[in-house]
Amino acid sequence: MRKVKKGGTVKVAVVLGTRPEAIKLAPVILELKRRSALFEPLVCASGQHREMLAQALAAFGLEPQYNLDVMRSRQSLSEVTAAVLGGLEPIFTSEQPDVVIVQGDTTTAFAASLAAYYQGIPVGHVEAGLRTEDKYSPFPEEINRRLITHIAELHFAPTEIARANLLREAIDAARIVVTGNTVVDALHFIRRRLARESSLRPDFGLDAGKHPVILVTAHRRESFGQPLQQICRAIRTLAERRPDVSIVYPVHLNPNVAEPVHQSLSGLPNIKLLGPLDYVSFVALMDRATILLTDSGGLQEEGPSLGKPVLVMRDTSERPEAIDAGAAWLVGTDPQRIVTAVETLLDEPQVYQHMATRPNPFGDGHAAERIVSVLSEWHHVTAAPERDPQRNWPEGLSPSPGASTSLDSLRLFRFC
Ligand code: UD1
Ligand code: UDP
């Protein structure tokens, strides 16, 4: 592996490509910027998403220094993989980052970690260790994240369950740090903004009254075709049976999603189909919503953070914490099951209340600080291995007695 530079700033290439990566890496980038005496963040966008990535970055006032702009309509997985891998090579060659940070399980994250590995650049993986143990669900994310795990040097696991998954795959415990999920940091950041600015967009038509609002998102590849048709059937049935309920659905731009959704759900008075929302507007909408009905990964974390019950329209989830805590139910894509679950929450206040008041298992909003502290400590250790480890560790970080490697001390960051 390439030798880490001594002295000077640590160049951290943060690679992102899709909406959720931008939202979950924004707190890390902001924290790296805040600590500019030590870090030089370099934001590299693959452009796997175009409009949706720009929307997400704008919410945090961030702009990438590089944008590969790889998005094509109806792009295939191999096209994205090849374009990101090839596009990052010259950037990594000229910029020589000390470390590459990726998040989650997208094709951008996988291809970026492979590009870094090919050049001997260590990789830090944010949101490491999520697993369903079903390699086709979610597809291709389950395999992407497993491959990233075996490339990465540093694993920022959001929860203890994620950490245990990594340990089961023989990942060195000293390289895993449980940080919480950075999406909680992102939510805190946006809610501070919402406290200052007016919140709900008037065109949602939701200001009047306190009637129930169901917020829907769905986009997973494994749902294309029949499962998505079933999801639409359930939403239509709910709209017809419950005229008192508003259903708001910001539709993903993927034509495999947008076309069938608009075909099935246009024209009903209590269904509002919107384009993707900027993150500030979306957080305001989640705040107003009664129930989140979704197949998204991020919403399964945001729901418990906001006290909103989440109904997960998937057969598997890599976020068992929310389900175990009782904050989310796995309802699959069977229309009857979806309708029954929604109506139970609408009609049984005790059930609703129980779900809405579960503790948030995804962290305390300080994940990015932990990640950046670990990067700082890791750099300190790897750039100066000849240092006296007992004397030079920053306060609060001295290695535990008998620690076999300096990175063992990073376990001190574990917060839960
Ligand atoms: C990707 C990720 C998925 C993540 C999701 C978040 C992979 C394999 N999938 O899936 O893990 O949950 O993003 O949304 O990495 N499009 C636009 N404009 C945009 C974004 C997308 O037009 O701003 C359309 C394009 O036609 C594009 C298609 O959506 O070809 C699919 O985008 P892609 O990134 O390949 O897959 P997602 O389903 O978005
Ligand atoms: N989101 C958003 N605008 C929208 C829909 C979702 O900002 O119109 C946010 C949402 O709050 C979450 C993230 O996008 O933080 C989830 O993205 P997505 O569902 O595309 O991906 P996943 O989480 O499934 O990977």
Side-chain angles (χ1 to χ4, degrees), residues 48-49 51-52 72 74-75 107 141 219 221 252:
Q48 180 178 337
H49 283 178
E51 303 85 346
M52 288 161 57
R72 302 290 175 267
R74 297 180 188 276
Q75 59 208 359
T107 295
E141 290 83 358
H219 70 83
R221 266 169 207 264
H252 194 289

Side-chain angles (χ1 to χ4, degrees), residues 351-367:
V351 178
Y352 183 91
Q353 204 46 32
H354 179 79
M355 238 180 139
T357 51
R358 298 301 87 211
N360 167 18
F362 294 111
D364 59 1
H366 296 281

Side-chain angles (χ1 to χ4, degrees), residues 19-20 23-24 49 52 55 105 183 217 219-220 250 252 275-279 282-283 286 295-299 302:
R19 169 170 68 191
I23 291 168
K24 290 176 168 179
H49 283 178
M52 288 161 57
Q55 267 182 335
D105 49 22
V183 80
T217 76
H219 70 83
R220 301 236 77 87
H252 194 289
L277 296 176
D278 67 87
Y279 193 46
F282 192 77
V283 173
M286 284 196 285
D295 68 4
S296 156
L299 268 81
E302 290 165 330

Side-chain angles (χ1 to χ4, degrees), residues 17-21 47-55 70-77 79-81 104-110 138-141 144-145 219-221 224 252-257 276 295-298:
T18 65
R19 169 170 68 191
E21 289 166 278
Q48 180 178 337
H49 283 178
R50 188 171 294 143
E51 303 85 346
M52 288 161 57
L53 179 68
Q55 267 182 335
V70 306
M71 199 199 87
R72 302 290 175 267
S73 186
R74 297 180 188 276
Q75 59 208 359
S76 76
L77 293 172
E79 281 166 347
V80 180
T81 310
D105 49 22
T106 67
T107 295
T108 290
F110 163 58
F139 171 86
E141 290 83 358
N144 282 347
R145 55 196 172 214
H219 70 83
R220 301 236 77 87
R221 266 169 207 264
F224 293 172
H252 194 289
L253 289 178
N254 192 333
N256 295 307
V257 176
D295 68 4
S296 156

Side-chain angles (χ1 to χ4, degrees), residues 366-390:
H366 296 281
E369 287 161 43
R370 291 188 185 92
I371 289 166
V372 173
S373 294
V374 169
L375 285 176
S376 148
E377 197 47 35
W378 167 82
H379 180 263
H380 195 61
V381 170
T382 44
E386 71 279 8
R387 245 174 344 97
D388 173 353
Q390 295 308 323

